[in-house]
Amino acid sequence: MNEFVTREVDVVVVGAGQAGLSAAYHLRRAGLVPEWDFVVLDHSPGPGGAWQFRWPSLTYGKVHAMHALPGMELTGADDARPSSEVIGAYFAAYEERFGLRVHRPVRVAAVREGDGGRLAVETSEGVRSARALINATGTWDRPFWPRHPGQESFRGLQLHTADYPGPAAFAGRRVVVVGGGASGTQHLMEIAGVEAATTWVTRRPPVFREGPFDEDAGRTAVALVEERVRRGLPPRSVVSVTGLPLTDAVRRARESGVLDRLPMFDRITPTGVAWDDGRTVEADVILWATGFRPVIGHLAPLRLREPGGGIRVDGTGAVRDTRVSPRERRRRRMPPADPRLPAQGAAGTSWASRCTRAA
C-alpha cells in the first residue's frame, strides 16, 4: 500500500502511450496538477507505450510516421536504431520534462460506479475515486486471432505479430503471412531474405496509396473513424482508412513477387493451408498479422457497449457515460508556474488529434 491508494482525484488517465501522455499534457495545460488533480496509470514496465514491445528489426527508419507529442518534438533520432528504443527514450524524456509522474506497472482491473456520482477505478495499486476517466489503453494487449477450420490440426508453428521475433527465426522455413495491413507487408519483406518460401493471404485485395499521407488525408481518415464510432460500431483497421503506403521498398517487393497476394484460404491442414478450389500451400509457419482489438474489458461494469459492438462516442466522450471522456477540464487547484508548459488557458488542439499513428 502507498499514500495514494484511496485518494480522490478529478481525473484518472489509464495508459501512458501517445494518447495518455497527450491527455496528461493537456490536463496540466488546463491547470490540473499531477498526483493532486489527476493521475496517470500504466501497466507497462517502462515508458514507450506499445512501442517498447515492437520487434528489434523494426528500426525507426522503417516507421511510416511518428506524430510528435504536444509541446515536444522528437528530433535527431537514429534511423538505424530500433523504434522501441527511440520512442521509449522519447516518451521517458517527455514524462520527465512535464513532470507527469506516471505510476507503473499498475493494472486497472475494473471501472465501476462509485459513491457520490464518482467512478471507482480498481487497480493493483488500490481503488481510485475519480470524477472522470480518460481511457488510453490502446490495443497491443489484445492480438486478434481469427478462427479457421482445421486450425488445431496444423503441425507447424503459429504466431501473431505481437510475438514476431524478427526475420532470423524464419530461416529456411515456408511461411504463410495472413493479413493485409502494414505489419503483414513489413513481415513479408523482412522474411523474404531468409525463408524458403512466403505466401501472402488477405481477406480483401490490398489498397496501395500513392503520395504522402498529409494533413488532409489524415483528417479524412479520422472522419471515417469518427463516423463509425458515432454509430456505436468498432473502428476498422488503420490500413482500411489510410491504405498501404507505396514506398520504394514496397514497389521492389511487388515487382519481385513477394507481395503477390492470394485470397483467404478456406481451411488449415496439418501441413499448410487449402482452398475449396483445390489449391494448397505447404507451410512450416503461419504468421497471423491480423491486428488487435481495443483493451476495454475493465470498462465492462459501466455497460458502455452498443448493440453494434462498439462504444458510441460523441466527439471524444462516451455517450452512455460522459464521465468516460478526455474533455474533463474543471479545475480544483492551480499548479505552480511552470515555464516548460504553455500559458494556462492558451488555446490548443485536442489530445485526440495528436494521436494519429500508423504502425
Side-chain angles (χ1 to χ4, degrees):
M1 293 288 186
N2 63 41
E3 61 181 306
F4 301 117
V5 166
T6 58
R7 182 176 168 186
E8 292 186 350
V9 291
D10 280 347
V11 185
V12 171
V13 180
V14 185
Q18 280 179 288
L21 294 183
S22 298
Y25 170 92
H26 283 290
L27 288 171
R28 283 214 64 177
R29 189 178 185 183
L32 280 72
V33 182
E35 299 284 41
W36 182 267
D37 296 315
F38 75 92
V39 65
V40 183
L41 309 177
D42 188 38
H43 85 292
S44 298
W51 287 100
Q52 66 193 279
F53 305 114
R54 296 295 200 269
W55 49 99
S57 57
L58 181 62
T59 57
Y60 189 67
K62 294 179 181 178
V63 172
H64 293 160
M66 175 66 198
H67 201 301
L69 293 167
M72 179 178 161
E73 296 290 328
L74 170 55
T75 59
D78 181 355
D79 283 352
R81 191 179 176 195
S83 59
S84 58
E85 296 179 5
V86 171
I87 298 172
Y90 171 50
F91 281 17
Y94 190 88
E95 293 176 15
E96 176 67 21
R97 178 174 179 181
F98 296 115
L100 300 181
R101 303 182 186 181
V102 177
H103 290 227
R104 60 168 59 92
V106 176
R107 184 179 65 87
V108 176
V111 182
R112 306 181 188 277
E113 187 65 42
D115 297 330
R118 300 174 70 88
L119 295 168
V121 185
E122 299 175 0
T123 83
S124 58
E125 199 178 54
V127 178
R128 294 276 184 168
S129 174
R131 291 196 298 112
L133 179 136
I134 299 174
N135 194 69
T137 47
T139 62
W140 185 259
D141 294 327
R142 283 195 65 200
F144 175 60
W145 291 75
R147 305 303 301 169
H148 286 275
Q151 197 159 357
E152 293 77 11
S153 71
F154 183 62
R155 294 198 291 263
L157 172 67
Q158 296 187 62
L159 72 162
H160 191 276
T161 288
D163 305 307
Y164 177 71
F170 302 92
R173 295 185 173 187
R174 300 164 297 178
V175 184
V176 173
V177 177
V178 183
S183 295
T185 56
Q186 288 171 355
H187 296 337
L188 280 159
M189 290 187 292
E190 285 193 345
I191 294 169
V194 300
E195 91 308 345
T198 57
T199 302
W200 187 24
V201 177
T202 71
R203 287 186 302 160
R204 292 181 294 271
V207 176
F208 292 93
R209 170 177 48 80
E210 295 272 9
F213 191 75
D214 56 19
E215 289 187 9
D216 287 340
R219 291 190 185 98
T220 299
V222 169
L224 291 171
V225 173
E226 287 181 342
E227 189 274 333
R228 285 185 63 83
V229 298
R230 284 197 182 106
R231 293 161 52 199
L233 300 174
R236 288 185 175 141
S237 66
V238 171
V239 75
S240 70
V241 294
T242 64
L244 290 165
L246 195 55
T247 63
D248 290 342
V250 169
R251 287 190 179 93
R252 291 192 296 269
R254 295 180 74 183
E255 292 168 359
S256 67
V258 171
L259 293 182
D260 285 345
R261 168 260 179 191
L262 293 177
M264 195 66 202
F265 48 76
D266 295 296
R267 61 190 178 280
I268 299 174
T269 70
T271 59
V273 296
W275 289 258
D276 287 344
D277 63 7
R279 177 169 38 188
T280 62
V281 169
E282 298 293 292
D284 303 301
V285 180
I286 301 175
L287 174 54
W288 298 93
T290 45
F292 300 80
R293 296 294 182 265
V295 179
I296 53 176
H298 54 289
L299 301 178
L302 298 179
R303 301 181 181 276
L304 303 179
R305 284 186 182 271
E306 301 290 337
I311 295 176
R312 190 155 61 97
V313 173
D314 180 13
T316 51
V319 171
R320 287 179 178 254
D321 193 329
T322 58
R323 295 170 299 180
V324 184
S325 166
R327 297 177 295 171
E328 179 63 47
R329 292 291 185 269
R330 284 183 237 167
R331 303 182 187 186
R332 192 172 74 188
R333 173 177 169 180
M334 294 294 289
D338 188 340
R340 299 171 298 181
L341 291 171
Q344 292 168 17
T349 57
S350 70
W351 69 270
S353 69
R354 298 281 187 169
C355 304
T356 303
R357 171 72 185 90

